[in-house]
Amino acid sequence: MTTQTAKTGLNLRNPAFWQDNGTVVVLIAFILVATAVSGGVFIRPDNLITIAYQASIVGVLVLGQSLVVISGGLDLSMVGILILSAVIMGGAGSEQQSMMLLGGLPYIGLWPAVVAGFLTALVFGLLNGLMVTRLHIPAFIATLASTLLLSGIILLTTGGAPIYYPDPFFTHFGNSIWFGLPAPIYLFIVMTVIAWWMLNRTRFGRKLYAIGANARASHYSGVSVNNVRLCVYMLSGLAAGVAGFMFLSRTGYIAAASGGDMLMTTIASLVVGGVSLSGGFGGIKHAISGVLLLAALSNLMNILLISPYVQNAINGFVILIAVSVYSHIHHDRA
């Protein structure tokens, strides 16, 4: 099943309408409610830019994760790839920082280090893909093993020390304002457009949906399932590398523990957006709507000075509601 469903118009009683557009409608409604509750603070342009800026890194991760999930897989190693690629870019790209790392990461120059970071992300994406497609290890186990491997490599590379002094280019890029918007937002937009085009305008995208819906049937139809999935995990790794570049640009800092709950937020965004974790359904519209809805909810709770502990409970409640609603809609359409 793809997102290219039949036209449903504005029939609000049709489950197909809510399955295809539910998160967008909820996001718009939330913006209206948040504006009223915050006394207009939420809708201010500077606050909306802040939401987009804060959502950009997780958003890029979600784009990569959505490709994997739509094809019927899962990638738990994205945050680990993000951290390692950022460590390489920031550590090997700065002579001062390179000399401080106990792991002995050599200084190779800014742009070679950036390229090395992206190549490392691709290699780990390839490794994940090979484990899933050639060794037939379940995606959950394969990418969990990669996460542990990445953690060890990060600690060995850095000696447990954080990257504090990357090349000034990173913070300059992260703080740059182009036509009123921070530069990372443009990178997020470009990545979103590319992912949308890939899913909706290419044969590769159609194969992803077919494999996610029924891998065996796709195989018998002549689709090279293993090769497509291998490419998907490489693209997921590359997206994590881009997110690592953005993280280093935004904070000027990266450490082994920098990921925090980013992985859970990535998966939660897909769930809230309506992307099916069983594969075969969802799209960039769903993924980005989920990202923005969770970012907007977090922003509103910060404006209202709600305790972080209560925020976690509210986020969990929202995810449960989303799962229940989409399960009901999918059942109605079955």
Side-chain angles (χ1 to χ4, degrees), residues 7-251:
K7 293 182 179 180
T8 60
L10 291 176
N11 184 0
L12 301 183
R13 295 183 179 181
N14 191 335
F17 172 83
W18 290 105
Q19 190 174 28
D20 295 337
N21 305 287
T23 312
V24 176
V25 174
V26 171
L27 177 60
I28 294 173
F30 178 83
I31 292 174
L32 296 176
V33 172
T35 301
V37 170
S38 65
V41 174
F42 181 87
I43 201 65
R44 291 176 181 173
D46 58 338
N47 189 60
L48 295 179
I49 291 173
T50 297
I51 293 173
Y53 184 63
Q54 293 176 342
S56 59
I57 296 175
V58 171
V60 171
L61 288 177
V62 167
L63 292 175
Q65 188 75 264
S66 63
L67 299 180
V68 177
V69 169
I70 288 171
S71 70
L74 184 67
D75 189 353
L76 301 179
S77 67
M78 293 192 76
V79 173
I81 295 175
L82 178 157
I83 295 173
L84 181 58
S85 61
V87 164
I88 293 173
M89 293 178 192
S94 168
E95 187 171 10
Q96 179 185 8
Q97 181 63 65
S98 178
M99 294 173 60
M100 297 175 61
L101 293 178
L102 299 179
L105 192 64
Y107 170 69
I108 59 176
L110 171 61
W111 294 111
V114 171
V115 172
F118 287 136
L119 288 178
T120 300
L122 276 173
V123 167
F124 272 93
L126 174 63
L127 176 63
N128 288 332
L130 289 175
M131 287 192 291
V132 171
T133 62
R134 300 304 190 262
L135 300 181
H136 305 291
I137 301 175
F140 182 91
I141 301 300
T143 56
L144 179 60
S146 288
T147 301
L148 298 175
L149 176 61
L150 284 159
S151 298
I153 293 175
I154 291 166
L155 291 174
L156 288 172
T157 301
T158 63
I163 303 294
Y164 279 117
Y165 305 106
D167 190 280
F169 166 79
F170 290 102
T171 52
H172 176 73
F173 176 83
N175 294 326
S176 295
I177 303 295
W178 301 343
F179 302 103
L181 295 177
I185 294 181
Y186 289 100
L187 186 53
F188 176 34
I189 292 172
V190 169
M191 293 288 290
T192 300
V193 171
I194 292 173
W196 179 89
W197 172 81
M198 188 180 301
L199 277 178
N200 295 277
R201 292 293 185 267
T202 68
R203 293 177 59 189
F204 179 77
R206 291 191 290 273
K207 291 178 181 178
L208 285 188
Y209 284 110
I211 292 171
N214 194 323
R216 179 173 295 182
S218 299
H219 171 72
Y220 288 131
S221 298
V223 176
S224 181
V225 175
N226 284 343
N227 288 340
V228 171
R229 282 181 169 166
L230 187 63
C231 290
V232 164
Y233 280 99
M234 292 179 68
L235 289 172
S236 176
L238 182 60
V242 174
F245 174 87
M246 295 171 67
F247 189 98
L248 196 59
S249 297
R250 191 174 83 179
T251 64

Side-chain angles (χ1 to χ4, degrees), residues 237-312:
L238 182 60
V242 174
F245 174 87
M246 295 171 67
F247 189 98
L248 196 59
S249 297
R250 191 174 83 179
T251 64
Y253 164 91
I254 190 76
S258 292
D261 59 355
M262 198 177 295
L263 176 63
M264 296 305 298
T265 302
T266 299
I267 296 175
S269 297
L270 293 178
V271 172
V272 171
V275 178
S276 174
L277 295 183
S278 60
F281 180 85
I284 301 305
K285 173 177 67 176
H286 302 87
I288 297 304
S289 296
V291 171
L292 294 179
L293 182 57
L294 288 183
L297 175 61
S298 177
N299 178 267
L300 177 62
M301 290 189 290
N302 287 332
I303 291 175
L304 299 179
L305 301 178
I306 295 176
S307 165
Y309 305 110
V310 177
Q311 290 188 28
N312 288 335

